[in-house]
Every structure is written in C-alpha cells, then in structure tokens.
C-alpha cells in the first residue's frame, strides 16, 4: 500500500512493480452534500488500474462532484459533507492521517478550461516538482513531462514563452504536462476537450491512450462519442428520484454503447433522454 | 415532438424496407420452385428478371444505412438495429440469388422430361420459406424466442437435402443418362438448403438485435449466455 501520510514525500517509483491491475480507485456507499443539497447518493464503484474510465450522464447529475471526491478537491468548498468511503489503492483518502496535498500529487487533475499559470512553459511544468522539493534534474523532468504530454516538439525551442501564449489545445497539453510532472498515478480529467476543436481533441485522446500505459485516467465527458472512443470502461450517472446524482451502471465501454443493461442508460446514450 | 423523431423515422424505414425485401424474396423462392415443378419457363424468366429489384433495393438500403450511421452516430439498440438491417438485407439478397439460380436451372432443363415427381424439393422450399418468414416475424417483433425456433428447424432441411442427394445418386447409378437432370436437381436442393441456412443467419441477427449476443449455429444457448429449455441436447459446455 502507498504511504499517503503527512510528511511522506516518498516517490512511487518503487511501487510500480506492485501494481496488480486491480482497482486503483473505489467508492463505497458514497454520498455527498453541498450544505443541505444532496448532490450524489450512495455510489459504489471500482475503477481498474491503468484503464480509462469515462463518466457520462446529463448535466447536474454530480459527475464532476464525484470526480473531485478522489483528490479531496470538494473540501475546498465550504459547507460540504461526505459519507461513505473513497479509496485510493486501499487507503481511505478522507482518513484524518492522509495529507490532501500528497493525495493531489498522486491523483492529478485536468480541468475543462485550460488554466496554465501566467508563467513560462518551463515554469508551468516545473511548478509542481519545485513545490514538492524535487531533488533530481529539473530540466529532465520538464522535458520528460512535455514529451509525455506530446507537446515537447512544439515548444522545445521556446520554453521561456508564456504558457498563455499557446493555442487552446497546446495549453491543455501543457496542463497535462504540469500534472504529469509530479508523477501522479491517476489523472482526473473534467471535460478536458470541451473547449477544444476536433483536431486538438484528437490529440488529447491519442495522448490519453498513450498515458494509459502507466497511469489510470478517469474522464468526465458530455461527449458520448468521446467516451466511446477513448475509454475502457464507462459509468453512467443520472438524476435519481430524490434529485441527487446516482450511478445507474458501469461496465465495459463496448457493452455500454452496444447493449447497456439499464433502460435509462439506453435512453440517454441513444438521445431519447427525458 | 418526441426526441429524435427524424431518426426514429429513419430506423422505421430500415425495418420496413428489410421486411419488404423479405416479402419479395419469399415470393421469388416459391415462384422459382413452382417454375421447376410446373415446367413453366415463362415464370422462370420472370423470377430471373425480378431479382434485379431485390438487388437494387438491397443496395439502396445499404447506402441508406451507411448514411444514417454517418449522420446519426447511433448507439446501443439503434446501432444494433441498423447493423442488423444491413446484415439481414444482405442475407435476403443472397436468398434472392438462390431463387434466381433455381429459376435458371428450370430454364436449363427446358422441355426435358422430369426425372421424377418433385416431392422433397417442394417440401424443402416450404420449410425454408417458413423459416424465412418466421425469422422476419422475429425481426419485426424483436423476439429472440421465435428466432431460436427458426434455428432449430435448419436440421430438417439439412436432412431432406441429404435424402434428396442419396435418392438422386441412385438415379444416376441406374442410368447415366439421368446424370445431367439429377445433377441439376441436386443444385436446386443445395440452393434450398442454403436458403434455410441464410434464414438461420437472419434468426441469429435477430438474437443479436434483441440481446446483443453474437450467436452462431452449432453453439448451444448456454454457450452464448442464454439458457433455453429447448436446447438441452445442444452440446453446452456445462
């Protein structure tokens, strides 16, 4: 099990061999409230390691809230409450002894709108390693991260240029490089392509498939074709009777998009919802 | 207006067109066998000419389905319906070709005297057309139970084909002058046996349409994840 305790900065290199391809993320009876508003209700799911899991569902069904549970991003919002377990490699991420900063290092996140810092490309990528007091070669980790994000060839001659000067698609890949620089095991992606054109979207999707070789990805997307194209597994959320987001089913993506088990999934993915 | 009303109409058009081609094909098999047993050359020529309409309709339906896939990006049950429509239309077009083949044999036999009264061949035609009709009924109703029954009838046609084959070989052995006519009848029998196979294929597509399971003849229902009381001797793995 990975040590997520406060003050532990151990890198996970040694743990790579211990990966067994089982579940890396899981929730058990997870419910989440914004003050008195129940946003997601009783969600239990396991997400396999080094696979791409897509979360689909109509607006307001709690997909993003669910995603943010895995790296404790929701607790930054006042008045929220969580019940049930959120597990990362067998550790309950909400355990008192777990350091949220360490969790966020291992479970990285990419957002809908590319949000590079108003800094150079280099400094954007180096930001996380510096905060984590990375001891190795910074040039090396910047290059490696930019290469993994399929951006290196486009920016290698101008690393001092502002990250904000890049195109939307490049900015999003810079954000992915920035997330990769702290060597996460999981990448949470919240609508990462919704602000991008089809070509930039294709590049991100290709990149996701490459990254899946050594990390796990959970992507929230409104674009069902995207979920069908990139993911290994798909989870369908919808609004339950109580108005809270519920998990309807999760299965192999191939099955969800050809023969879903639940009529609500069928209605949603065939565009007959509501 | 219900969601995706235009798309619903397109899906309905695909199903209607498949059923229409199916009814043309049913008719053409009956007529081809009738032309043979009645020695009606005019009818045989008509069957050959009518096959063009089946081919044209199948091609048009194929283009329509491809267009719908490209524009609508169908998923789940819709996707299965369109894929099934494409496959069933292709099976029907092939069945039409078998009918045309029988009609051509009828023409080739011309005014030669019949080798024997046709008994088993019309029976094979009846069973095959019945299988085809039921497989299309199953498609219309998306009823995999009916489709399963069609699957089981294929054995009867296979047995009749074997029976016809043995009988015709006997005729050939009796008198070498029978060889040509007997061979032509073997082709007819073979074509009808293939019609039943194709009807079985259609039944398999219906099972896919309604369950998402891809099944092939020779597998037991438990092999493809379905339990059935009617297939206890189906060679299941359990």
């Amino acid at each position: 099990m990975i040590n997520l305790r406060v003050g532990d900065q151990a890198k996970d290199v040694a743990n790579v061999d211990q990966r067994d391809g089982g579940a890396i993320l899981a929730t058990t009876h997870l419910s989440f409230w914004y003050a008195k508003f129940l946003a997601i209700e009783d969600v239990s799911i396991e997400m396999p390691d080094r696979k791409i899991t897509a979360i689909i569902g109509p607006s307001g069904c709690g997909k993003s809230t669910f995603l943010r549970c895995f790296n404790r991003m929701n607790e930054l919002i006042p008045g929220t409450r969580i019940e049930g377990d959120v597990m990362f490699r067998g550790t309950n991420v909400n355990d008192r002894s777990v350091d949220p900063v360490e969790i966020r290092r291992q479970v990285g996140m990419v957002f809908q709108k590319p949000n590079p810092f108003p800094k150079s490309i280099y400094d954007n990528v180096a930001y996380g390693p510096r905060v984590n007091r990375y001891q190795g070669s910074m040039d090396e980790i910047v290059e490696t991260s930019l290469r993994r994000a399929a951006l290196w060839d486009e920016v290698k001659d101008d690393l001092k240029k502002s990250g904000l000067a890049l195109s939307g698609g490049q900015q999003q890949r810079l954000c992915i490089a920035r997330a990769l620089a702290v060597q996460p095991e999981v990448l949470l992606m919240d609508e990462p392509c919704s602000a991008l054109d089809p070509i930039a979207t294709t590049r991100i999707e290709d990149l996701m498939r490459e990254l899946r070789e050594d990390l796990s990805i959970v992507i929230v997307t409104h674009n069902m074709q995207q979920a069908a194209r990139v993911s290994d597994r798909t989870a369908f959320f919808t609004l339950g009777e109580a108005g809270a987001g519920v998990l309807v089913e999760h299965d192999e993506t191939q099955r969800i998009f050809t023969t879903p088990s639940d009529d609500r999934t069928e209605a949603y993915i065939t565009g007959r919802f509501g | 207006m219900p969601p995706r009303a235009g798309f619903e109409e397109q899906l309905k058009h695909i199903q209607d067109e498949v059923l229409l081609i199916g009814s043309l094909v049913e008719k053409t098999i009956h007529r081809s066998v009738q032309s043979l047993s009645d020695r009606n050359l005019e009818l045989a020529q008509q069957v050959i000419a009518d096959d063009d309409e089946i081919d044209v309709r199948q091609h048009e339906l194929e283009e329509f389905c491809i267009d719908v896939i490209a524009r609508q990006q169908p998923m789940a049950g819709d996707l299965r319906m369109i894929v099934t429509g494409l496959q069933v239309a292709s099976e029907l077009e092939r069945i039409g070709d078998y009918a045309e083949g029988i009609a051509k044999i009828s023409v080739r036999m011309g005014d030669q005297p019949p080798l024997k009264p046709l008994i088993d061949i019309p029976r094979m035609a009846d069973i095959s057309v019945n299988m085809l009709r039921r497989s299309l009924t199953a498609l219309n109703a998306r009823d995999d139970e009916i489709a399963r029954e069609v699957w089981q009838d294929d054995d009867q046609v296979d047995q009749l084909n074997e029976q016809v084959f043995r009988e015709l070989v006997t005729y050939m052995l009796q008198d070498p002058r029978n060889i040509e006519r007997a061979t032509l009848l073997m082709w007819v029998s073979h074509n009808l046996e293939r019609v039943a196979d194709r009807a079985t294929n259609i039944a398999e597509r219906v099972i896919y349409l309604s369950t998402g399971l891809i099944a092939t003849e020779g597998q037991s229902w438990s092999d493809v994840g379905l339990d059935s009381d009617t297939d206890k001797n189906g060679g299941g793995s359990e």
Side-chain angles (χ1 to χ4, degrees):
Chain A
M1 192 185 299
I2 288 172
N3 196 336
L4 296 169
R5 303 303 187 257
V6 178
D8 190 307
Q9 295 292 329
K11 297 295 173 214
D12 56 349
V13 177
N15 289 308
V16 169
D17 292 338
Q18 294 173 17
R19 294 176 174 188
D20 58 359
I24 186 164
L25 297 172
T27 66
T28 319
H29 302 300
L30 172 68
S31 295
F32 189 88
W33 287 261
Y34 292 102
K36 287 183 177 167
F37 173 68
L38 177 60
I40 46 180
E41 184 179 12
D42 197 21
V43 172
S44 297
I45 188 173
E46 287 192 352
M47 295 192 228
D49 195 5
R50 277 174 288 178
K51 299 276 183 207
I52 300 174
T53 302
I55 314 277
I56 60 168
S59 296
C61 70
K63 306 183 293 292
S64 297
T65 301
F66 174 72
L67 197 68
R68 288 195 301 262
C69 287
F70 290 104
N71 62 353
R72 292 177 56 171
M73 293 288 277
N74 286 322
E75 70 188 29
L76 304 173
I77 304 164
T80 58
R81 187 159 68 86
I82 193 164
E83 262 180 27
D85 294 332
V86 181
M87 310 299 283
F88 166 61
R89 286 213 179 281
T91 298
N92 190 334
V93 303
N94 294 309
D95 197 282
R96 269 172 198 280
S97 61
V98 170
D99 177 1
V101 175
E102 180 58 15
I103 272 286
R104 287 173 204 144
R105 185 190 73 72
Q106 298 201 20
V107 182
M109 195 152 188
V110 175
F111 299 88
Q112 181 172 353
K113 202 161 162 266
N115 58 348
F117 301 135
K119 292 169 179 286
S120 70
I121 293 167
Y122 186 101
D123 287 343
N124 261 280
V125 181
Y127 186 87
R130 280 182 186 141
V131 168
N132 283 301
R133 296 185 211 93
Y134 180 66
Q135 299 297 313
S137 161
M138 198 57 79
D139 287 357
E140 199 176 303
I141 204 153
V142 168
E143 179 176 340
T144 307
S145 305
L146 285 168
R147 279 189 189 283
R148 286 180 76 198
L151 187 58
W152 175 251
D153 289 341
E154 290 160 61
V155 302
K156 65 183 175 193
D157 298 325
D158 208 359
L159 293 172
K160 291 201 172 88
K161 189 162 86 172
S162 166
L164 295 170
L166 297 171
S167 73
Q170 288 173 323
Q171 286 189 18
Q172 195 61 304
R173 278 179 281 141
L174 177 61
C175 294
I176 292 172
R178 186 178 64 192
L180 294 175
V182 294
Q183 298 172 347
E185 284 202 62
V186 177
L187 206 52
L188 306 175
M189 304 179 101
D190 193 355
E191 292 271 1
C193 300
S194 62
L196 306 183
D197 69 24
I199 293 171
T201 297
T202 305
R203 296 213 62 168
I204 301 281
E205 290 177 4
D206 290 345
L207 174 59
M208 288 170 69
R209 276 189 287 268
E210 283 169 28
L211 292 175
R212 177 184 56 177
E213 296 294 316
D214 39 34
L215 52 81
S216 310
I217 295 174
V218 185
I219 177 174
V220 164
T221 176
H222 271 117
N223 181 335
M224 270 179 299
Q225 270 71 36
Q226 177 169 63
R229 280 194 301 267
V230 300
S231 70
D232 302 297
R233 293 184 67 83
T234 298
F236 172 61
F237 280 66
T238 194
L239 284 170
E241 285 172 15
V246 293
L247 172 64
V248 175
E249 64 176 304
H250 61 107
D251 209 329
E252 298 289 329
T253 294
Q254 189 256 351
R255 189 157 176 83
I256 291 285
F257 286 100
T258 61
T259 322
S261 306
D262 195 289
D263 289 345
R264 289 170 293 176
T265 316
E266 172 101 17
Y268 181 74
I269 65 171
T270 60
R272 268 87 160 186
F273 192 84
Chain B
M1 191 185 283
R4 300 191 86 178
F7 182 38
E8 293 280 5
E9 272 175 31
Q10 290 172 327
L11 292 172
K12 186 169 184 308
H13 173 75
I14 292 170
Q15 175 152 328
D16 288 350
E17 197 57 28
V18 168
L19 295 175
L20 177 66
I21 297 172
S23 68
L24 292 174
V25 168
E26 271 181 36
K27 197 168 83 176
T28 200
I29 297 168
H30 268 313
R31 280 152 51 106
S32 69
V33 175
Q34 197 187 343
S35 77
L36 188 73
S37 44
D38 297 355
R39 320 314 304 272
N40 185 338
L41 289 186
E42 200 178 323
L43 185 59
Q45 296 288 8
Q46 191 62 49
V47 168
I48 294 166
D50 286 352
D51 189 52
D52 287 348
E53 186 191 348
I54 293 169
D55 291 355
V56 168
R57 282 188 176 274
Q58 187 254 333
H59 286 141
E60 284 175 356
L61 180 59
E62 192 172 318
E63 279 177 16
F64 184 82
C65 289
I66 291 167
D67 186 55
V68 172
I69 290 171
R71 289 167 189 261
Q72 301 282 7
Q73 294 156 9
M75 294 283 192
D78 301 336
L79 178 62
R80 298 202 308 275
M81 177 59 221
I82 297 171
V83 169
T84 302
L86 272 171
Q87 291 173 325
V88 171
S90 165
E91 298 287 352
L92 290 171
E93 189 270 329
R94 293 296 293 146
I95 296 176
D97 289 346
Y98 292 130
E100 187 189 10
I102 293 169
K104 281 180 175 166
I105 289 168
S106 204
V107 171
R108 185 162 167 183
M109 282 188 170
D111 50 8
Q112 292 181 63
L115 182 64
K116 62 185 264 313
L118 295 183
I119 298 161
D120 287 335
I121 283 178
R123 269 183 70 199
M124 286 176 76
D126 286 344
I127 298 171
S128 303
V129 169
N130 184 266
M131 286 170 68
L132 175 61
R133 188 175 301 143
R134 282 184 298 142
S135 69
L136 293 171
T137 303
L139 175 72
N140 193 29
R142 301 194 181 201
D143 185 333
D144 58 296
E145 282 296 325
I146 301 174
R148 294 176 194 213
E149 289 163 18
V150 172
W151 200 344
Q152 285 151 8
D153 281 1
D154 191 34
D155 288 348
Q156 283 184 55
V157 180
D158 287 346
Q159 281 161 15
L160 280 169
N161 183 40
E162 188 61 32
Q163 196 171 307
V164 168
F165 177 82
R166 281 198 302 265
E167 192 184 0
L168 290 171
V169 167
T170 313
Y171 275 96
M172 291 181 189
L173 290 171
Q174 279 170 357
D175 184 347
R177 283 173 299 180
N178 291 336
I179 287 176
E180 186 182 350
R181 279 176 297 164
T183 305
L184 291 173
L185 287 179
M186 272 184 190
W187 288 351
V188 171
S189 173
H190 172 74
N191 275 10
L192 291 171
E193 188 266 327
R194 294 299 296 146
V195 169
D197 285 347
R198 299 271 172 185
T200 309
N201 290 352
I202 294 172
E204 288 166 9
R205 304 306 178 195
V206 175
I207 290 160
Y208 171 72
L209 173 64
S210 70
T211 66
L213 295 165
I214 293 175
T216 53
E217 197 188 2
Q219 283 180 304
S220 73
W221 291 105
S222 54
D223 285 341
V224 294
L226 294 170
D227 292 323
S228 169
D229 292 332
T230 53
D231 193 44
K232 285 185 174 142
N233 302 317
S237 53
E238 289 172 23

